[in-house]
Amino acid sequence: MKPRFSIIVPVYNRIDEVRDLLESLDAQQTRNFEVVLVEDGSSEPCRGVAEEYAGRIPVKYFFKDNEGRSIARNHGMERAEGDYFVFFDSDCVIPPDYFTILTASLDREPLDCFGGPDAAHESFSDVQKAINYTMTSFLTTGGIRGGKIRLEKFVPRTFNMGYSRRVFERVGGFREMFSEDIDMSTRIRLAGFSIGLIADAKVWHKRRVDFKKFFRQVYVFGMSRITLKLLYPDSLKAVHMLPALAVVVGLVLVALGIFVSPWWLLPIGIYFVALFASALVKTKSVKIAALAIPAAAIQLGGYGTGFIRAYVTKIILGRGRNEAEEIEMRRGK
C-alpha cells in the first residue's frame, strides 16, 4: 500500500545515530510511512543498519557522491512515494506517538507545510539537555523554534519538518546553503501555501555533544541570517538582531564594570539568574540549569558574532552579493 508519509533523512558518517533513529521509527504506534535514507558519500556507510531494519519497517537506502545535505534530501524526494515528505536529522529520535499525532492533526486541519518542536530525551547528556534548553527557550531565542510564545511567525526546521508532494512539484527542493530550511519555508510561504506548527509532534533532538561544536553551529546560523536577508530583503526581523545587540551591550557592560563600577555588571547577573531559574523549573536539575548559563552565553555570543561579521562583510562592504546570486541560481528545482 502506498505510504502517506515518506521520511527523508540525509546521512553522513552517522551509523549509531541512524540505528537509534530507525529503532524509534520501528516503535511507532502508527506505521503509515516509508523511510528513505540517503547516504551522502559517507566513508562509513550505514547500509548494514538499513538492511537490518528493512525487514521490520519499509526502508529504502541510496548511496550517492557527497554534495551536501540539501542535495541528498532532494535525491530522496525524487525517489519517495508518499503524499507528504517528512524530514528528520539523523541525530533525532522520534517519540512513539509522533505519526499518530501527525496523522490526526493533518486529518483535522490539513496543512501544506508543517513542523514541530524538539526536546531533550532523558537519556541525553546534561550538556545536550542544557544546549536543548537554550535553543528552545524564549529567553535565548525569542521562541522562534516552535515555542508557545514567539516573537516571529513559526518557521519549520529540517530536524522536524514536512510538506506535501504538491509543494515539492511547484516550489522544488532545498538549496544547498546554510539555513536551507528557512529558505525553503520562505519560498513555500511566498508561493501561497499554508504553514503551521503542530506543537505536540515533537522529536528528541540530540544536537551538539560539546560546547565547541555548539559554538561553531550557532556562529554559522548567525552568518546565514545575513545571506537570507540578501535573498529576501524583508526577512530580517528585530528578533534576529537581538543576539548581536546582546553581544554589543554585554561587551559595553563588561568594560564599564571593569573600568567604572562593578554595578554595571548587575544586568548581566540578573539575566543569568533568570535564565538559571527558568532552566531549573523546566529541567528540574540544578546541574543542567547551571550548564544552561554557559550554553546561553555561547548561543547568544556565537550567533551574535557570526551575525555581526556577516553584516559587516556582506552588507556594509558588499562582499555577499555574488554569494546571494549564486544561491538564487542553485534552486532546488
Side-chain angles (χ1 to χ4, degrees):
M1 186 174 70
K2 180 181 177 182
R4 184 174 187 183
F5 302 103
S6 291
I7 303 169
I8 315 294
V9 184
V11 181
Y12 184 74
N13 292 333
R14 294 290 187 270
I15 294 177
D16 291 339
E17 290 181 355
V18 170
R19 185 182 299 278
D20 291 343
L21 173 60
L22 293 180
E23 184 68 25
S24 69
L25 292 174
D26 186 36
Q28 291 298 303
Q29 299 166 354
T30 300
R31 302 165 72 96
N32 51 356
F33 59 81
E34 65 172 353
V35 183
V36 182
L37 295 175
V38 183
E39 192 93 58
D40 190 36
S42 299
S43 58
E44 300 177 0
C46 66
R47 181 187 295 273
V49 177
E51 292 174 348
E52 176 185 339
Y53 281 87
R56 298 155 58 177
I57 54 177
V59 178
K60 296 178 180 177
Y61 174 86
F62 301 97
F63 187 97
K64 60 178 292 297
D65 293 337
N66 179 255
E67 296 179 279
R69 59 184 179 267
S70 292
I71 306 303
R73 291 190 189 103
N74 297 343
H75 188 90
M77 284 187 285
E78 291 166 357
R79 290 155 179 80
E81 298 182 31
D83 296 321
Y84 283 93
F85 304 126
V86 178
F87 307 98
F88 298 137
D89 287 345
S90 62
D91 62 349
C92 289
V93 177
I94 315 305
D97 58 355
Y98 180 93
F99 282 95
T100 300
I101 293 171
L102 181 60
T103 299
S105 179
L106 292 177
D107 285 346
R108 183 173 58 252
E109 184 180 353
L111 289 168
D112 299 307
C113 176
F114 57 85
D118 62 336
H121 190 267
E122 60 183 11
S123 66
F124 291 2
S125 71
D126 290 338
V127 170
Q128 286 175 312
K129 291 175 181 177
I131 290 174
N132 183 271
Y133 167 79
T134 62
M135 290 295 284
T136 57
S137 172
F138 180 80
L139 291 176
T140 52
T141 67
I144 63 175
R145 301 182 73 88
K148 294 181 179 179
I149 303 175
R150 298 189 296 276
L151 297 180
E152 182 194 35
K153 289 182 179 179
F154 171 66
V155 177
R157 312 295 176 111
T158 46
F159 61 77
N160 185 6
M161 174 184 182
Y163 56 78
S164 68
R165 180 176 292 275
R166 191 164 66 97
V167 169
F168 176 60
E169 291 171 349
R170 185 187 303 182
V171 179
F174 293 89
R175 294 167 173 166
E176 187 53 43
M177 58 179 289
F178 291 116
S179 294
E180 72 280 3
D181 43 12
I182 302 177
D183 170 71
M184 172 57 76
S185 296
T186 302
R187 289 159 54 200
I188 291 173
R189 194 183 302 277
L190 291 175
F193 289 105
S194 60
I195 299 178
L197 167 67
I198 303 178
D200 293 331
K202 68 179 180 182
V203 302
W204 294 311
H205 196 187
K206 297 176 184 177
R207 298 193 182 278
R208 296 296 183 256
V209 296
D210 61 54
F211 286 147
K212 182 178 180 180
K213 292 178 180 178
F214 181 47
F215 176 85
R216 176 58 186 168
Q217 181 186 44
V218 293
Y219 182 83
V220 170
F221 285 169
M223 294 189 68
S224 65
R225 176 53 66 180
I226 300 303
T227 300
L228 290 166
K229 173 179 170 50
L230 293 175
L231 288 168
Y232 310 103
D234 296 331
S235 66
L236 188 64
K237 308 299 182 184
V239 65
H240 304 138
M241 295 182 278
L242 290 179
L245 179 63
V247 169
V248 174
V249 172
L251 291 175
V252 171
L253 290 175
V254 168
L256 290 172
I258 294 174
F259 297 109
V260 180
S261 169
W263 285 104
W264 284 101
L265 300 175
L266 184 61
I268 298 176
I270 292 174
Y271 173 76
F272 283 134
V273 168
L275 189 78
F276 176 87
S278 173
L280 182 61
V281 169
K282 183 174 181 178
T283 67
K284 307 295 191 297
S285 168
V286 173
K287 182 178 180 181
I288 296 172
L291 287 170
I293 294 175
I298 291 170
Q299 193 266 336
L300 293 171
Y303 187 104
T305 53
F307 182 98
I308 292 170
R309 177 185 175 185
Y311 190 90
V312 171
T313 58
K314 298 181 180 182
I315 303 297
I316 296 178
L317 301 179
R319 296 177 184 172
R321 306 297 178 181
N322 291 336
E323 176 194 15
E325 291 172 1
E326 289 174 4
I327 291 173
E328 182 67 31
M329 291 187 293
R330 293 202 304 268
R331 285 187 175 272
K333 191 171 183 179

